[in-house]
């Protein structure tokens, strides 16, 4: 077992900027994910999503933590209150420090999830995680929400509404698109966390991300942390791409 990992070998970015960037280990097999995260210099945070977790199970969280990394467990829990609570308790006991839940689960489930996450961490000596509520998935469009789910509220109203529901239930932050950060930050000052995907450094391929922003702009708009996947994971030199993203933050 390796103790807390090496610190920023590259000198061109600060430890604080590395704390702000979460690299999404999407599309990787477990061995690949572990090998990748071990070789990116200065990496602090990784995001484990459904695909990797379903394949590798809780062990992958433990193995990443043994590398000295902090883990964002992005499993987007959405269920009845007792099940949400049980899942969040277990996730917190694994040592995940950011955990996603769906705001649409409702206030009772969100409160139960929050309480259980605190208990799960405290009873196992882990840091208390921050739960992050997902408001509206970026794959939804307004017309389809109306047509398929009879939701007539526009996304611009729905996102702040669900963020408010989550904050009132004691949830510590939201996942949001970079274009929603300014409005949500005005409504929810720090330490409410705003974690945003859809980040593209200058020159990176946009891919399937519809609404993107550069790393510095997203931070300036009020984001707490940025989730960046393919611009780093699929770069020829991932350490270099990570360092470039960190350096762009200038913190
Ligand atoms: O696009 P990138 O590889 O940087 O994706 C990072 C994260 O952004 C993914 O793990 C996923 O959670 C999220 N994503 C999104 N909307 C998309 C594509 C990805 O929010 N259209």
């Amino acid at each position: 077992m390796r103790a807390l990992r090496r610190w920023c070998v590259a000198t061109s970015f600060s430890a604080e900027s590395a704390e702000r960037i979460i690299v999404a280990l999407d599309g990787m097999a477990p061995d690949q994910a572990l090998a990748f995260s071990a070789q990116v210099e200065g990496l602090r945070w990784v995001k484990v999503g459904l695909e990797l977790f379903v394949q590798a199970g809780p062990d992958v969280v433990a193995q990443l933590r043994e590398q000295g990394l902090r883990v964002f467990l992005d499993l987007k829990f959405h269920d009845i209150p007792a099940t949400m609570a049980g899942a969040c308790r277990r996730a917190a006991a694994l040592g995940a420090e950011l955990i996603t839940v769906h705001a649409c689960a409702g206030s009772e489930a969100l409160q139960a999830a929050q309480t259980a996450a605190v208990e799960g961490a405290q009873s196992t000596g882990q840091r208390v995680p921050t739960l992050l509520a997902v408001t509206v998935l970026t794959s939804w469009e307004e017309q389809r929400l109306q047509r398929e789910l009879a939701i007539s509220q526009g996304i611009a109203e729905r996102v702040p509404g669900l963020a408010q529901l989550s904050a009132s239930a004691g949830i510590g932050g939201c996942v949001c698109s970079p274009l929603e950060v300014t409005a949500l930050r005005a409504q929810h000052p720090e330490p409410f966390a705003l974690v945003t995907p859809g980040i593209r450094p200058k020159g990176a391929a946009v891919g399937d991300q519809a609404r993107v922003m550069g790393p510095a702009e997203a931070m300036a708009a009020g984001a707490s942390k940025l989730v960046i996947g393919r611009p780093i994971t699929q770069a020829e030199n991932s350490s270099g791409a990570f360092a470039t993203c960190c350096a762009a933050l200038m913190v």
Side-chain angles (χ1 to χ4, degrees), residues 24 26 47 74 76 138 197-200 208-210 227-231:
D26 298 327
K47 180 167 87 82
D74 184 20
K76 299 187 178 71
T138 57
I199 301 299
R200 288 294 178 269
D208 58 2
Q209 293 279 11
V227 176
I228 308 181
R230 290 159 290 185

Side-chain angles (χ1 to χ4, degrees), residues 27-247:
M28 294 187 200
D31 288 356
Q32 241 184 324
L34 292 168
F36 171 85
S37 49
Q39 55 94 17
V40 176
E41 293 171 11
L43 182 65
R44 291 298 299 136
W45 280 92
V46 288
K47 180 167 87 82
V48 173
L50 280 165
E51 189 180 351
L52 180 56
F53 192 81
V54 168
Q55 203 180 347
D59 284 354
V60 77
V61 176
Q63 288 161 335
L64 289 163
R65 296 194 66 234
E66 281 167 16
Q67 291 185 7
L69 294 165
R70 306 181 76 178
V71 176
F72 172 7
L73 191 57
D74 184 20
L75 304 183
K76 299 187 178 71
F77 298 132
H78 185 178
D79 215 308
I80 60 169
T83 305
M84 294 268 287
C88 287
R89 182 178 289 110
R90 299 287 181 187
L94 291 179
E97 294 184 68
L98 291 170
I99 299 166
T100 42
V101 293
H102 271 282
C104 289
S107 59
E108 194 189 331
L110 294 172
Q111 277 167 21
Q114 178 62 36
T115 304
V118 173
E119 288 168 2
Q122 287 175 344
S123 64
T124 52
Q126 306 285 6
R127 280 193 210 173
V128 172
T130 300
L131 299 196
L132 299 173
V134 176
T135 55
V136 178
L137 291 172
T138 57
S139 50
W140 279 105
E141 291 154 11
E142 260 169 37
Q143 294 88 331
R144 215 153 55 78
L145 279 174
Q146 163 78 61
R147 196 172 62 241
E148 296 183 14
L149 303 182
I151 292 172
S152 53
Q153 201 179 27
I155 288 177
E157 292 165 83
R158 189 164 175 80
V159 168
L162 288 169
Q164 184 57 53
L165 178 81
S166 308
S168 302
I171 298 295
C174 273
V175 178
C176 63
S177 120
L179 303 186
E180 290 155 358
V181 167
T182 305
L184 289 182
R185 182 54 79 208
Q187 190 188 3
H188 303 281
E190 298 270 9
F192 195 78
L194 294 177
V195 175
T196 175
I199 301 299
R200 288 294 178 269
K202 225 176 177 177
V206 171
D208 58 2
Q209 293 279 11
R211 297 179 300 156
V212 300
M213 211 182 253
E217 290 78 9
M219 292 303 296
S224 315
K225 290 191 192 297
L226 312 176
V227 176
I228 308 181
R230 290 159 290 185
I232 294 173
T233 57
Q234 293 184 6
E236 237 169 73
N237 172 0
S238 291
S239 286
F242 176 71
T244 303
C245 290
C246 290

